[in-house]
Amino acid sequence: MNGKFITFEGSEGSGKSTQAALALEYLKSKKLPTLLLREPGGVKISENIRKLLLDVNNTGMGDECETLLYMAARAQMVKEVLEPQLRSSKIILCDRFLDSTIAYQGYGNGIDIKTIEQLGLFATKGLVPDLTVLFDIPPEKGLGRASQKKDRIESRSLEYHKRVRNGYLDLSKQYPARIKVIKVDASVEEIFKRVKVHIDAVLDL
Ligand code: TMP
């Protein structure tokens, strides 16, 4: 792959989407060919799957179905844009990727992590981010900042969201070269300065 792949991860209300948008603006200002995607979503079929996943009326969705739907959305996004765009030397920024499934469905719901990794390999064709920026915020704080109208995942218990956060922190210890943790304890601008250090390093800017 000739391009670079950077993901933004974190629990609810961590501000990662705002930071991803700032990163896009920054790289565009440098005239670098950059695309911003989100998961689940990024392409039409995956955005449709997103609606199913986040719909609060889907109360009966099993953990297995949920895991497979996140993977299905990912597989389509990878095939339709991520892989071809990386091949044509683009910089891809993605708001969430496979680490989200490990944190939310693995640590959160208790789905076997090895199974998620195997499904992940299938869905992503083995594509791994060059850099993952993980925005860390205590869930008590983050859930307060998240949108008023909670979706199917946001509505889960504080205990669930604590497991998700711990999952992310475990992942950052397993992959310290790839996953950089940024504490959400400063202004948006201040936090972006920290993000920029990692982006500049991975892109040799
Ligand atoms: P967003 O709010 O960051 O757009 O993400 C949508 C929701 O989906 C969020 O609550 C996290 C959740 N999610 C998972 O549970 N597993 C996944 O694999 C992904 C990508 C997101």
Side-chain angles (χ1 to χ4, degrees), residues 8-14 16-17 38-41 50 53-54 66-67 69-71 73-74 95-106 109 116 147 151-156 160-161 164 168:
F8 294 75
E9 294 279 0
S11 34
E12 313 300 326
S14 65
K16 66 179 169 43
S17 306
R38 71 165 178 183
E39 271 223 283
R50 178 186 179 94
L53 278 162
L54 301 186
E66 178 178 302
T67 304
L69 284 176
Y70 276 112
M71 287 297 182
R74 181 162 302 133
D95 187 341
R96 298 193 180 282
F97 197 59
L98 183 57
D99 295 319
S100 281
T101 315
I102 296 178
Y104 281 80
Q105 283 64 51
N109 286 348
I116 297 178
S147 57
D151 64 35
R152 205 174 58 83
I153 308 281
E154 283 167 341
S155 333
R156 290 181 176 162
Y160 173 86
H161 290 285
V164 171
Y168 271 132

Side-chain angles (χ1 to χ4, degrees), residues 26 155 202:
Y26 169 61
S155 333
V202 79

Side-chain angles (χ1 to χ4, degrees), residues 64-176:
E64 296 78 5
C65 174
E66 178 178 302
T67 304
L68 291 169
L69 284 176
Y70 276 112
M71 287 297 182
R74 181 162 302 133
Q76 187 62 28
M77 189 279 278
V78 167
K79 190 178 181 109
E80 247 188 89
V81 286
L82 186 63
E83 193 192 25
Q85 294 294 335
L86 283 176
R87 275 195 196 289
S88 61
S89 305
K90 295 280 193 329
I91 298 168
I92 311 286
L93 309 176
C94 197
D95 187 341
R96 298 193 180 282
F97 197 59
L98 183 57
D99 295 319
S100 281
T101 315
I102 296 178
Y104 281 80
Q105 283 64 51
Y107 285 78
N109 286 348
I111 294 280
D112 176 57
I113 308 280
K114 285 260 169 309
T115 305
I116 297 178
E117 286 170 349
Q118 282 164 3
L119 291 168
L121 203 57
F122 178 66
T124 63
K125 304 186 186 201
L127 287 175
V128 177
D130 297 290
L131 165 69
T132 296
V133 192
L134 169 59
F135 297 92
D136 181 54
I137 186 166
E140 294 87 342
K141 225 169 139 190
L143 286 169
R145 287 166 41 138
S147 57
Q148 289 297 308
K149 210 166 144 255
K150 300 215 179 311
D151 64 35
R152 205 174 58 83
I153 308 281
E154 283 167 341
S155 333
R156 290 181 176 162
S157 68
L158 184 59
E159 285 312 308
Y160 173 86
H161 290 285
K162 283 184 178 169
R163 291 197 295 277
V164 171
R165 182 199 191 189
N166 290 336
Y168 271 132
L169 293 175
D170 269 3
L171 279 171
S172 72
K173 286 180 197 126
Q174 280 174 53
Y175 305 103

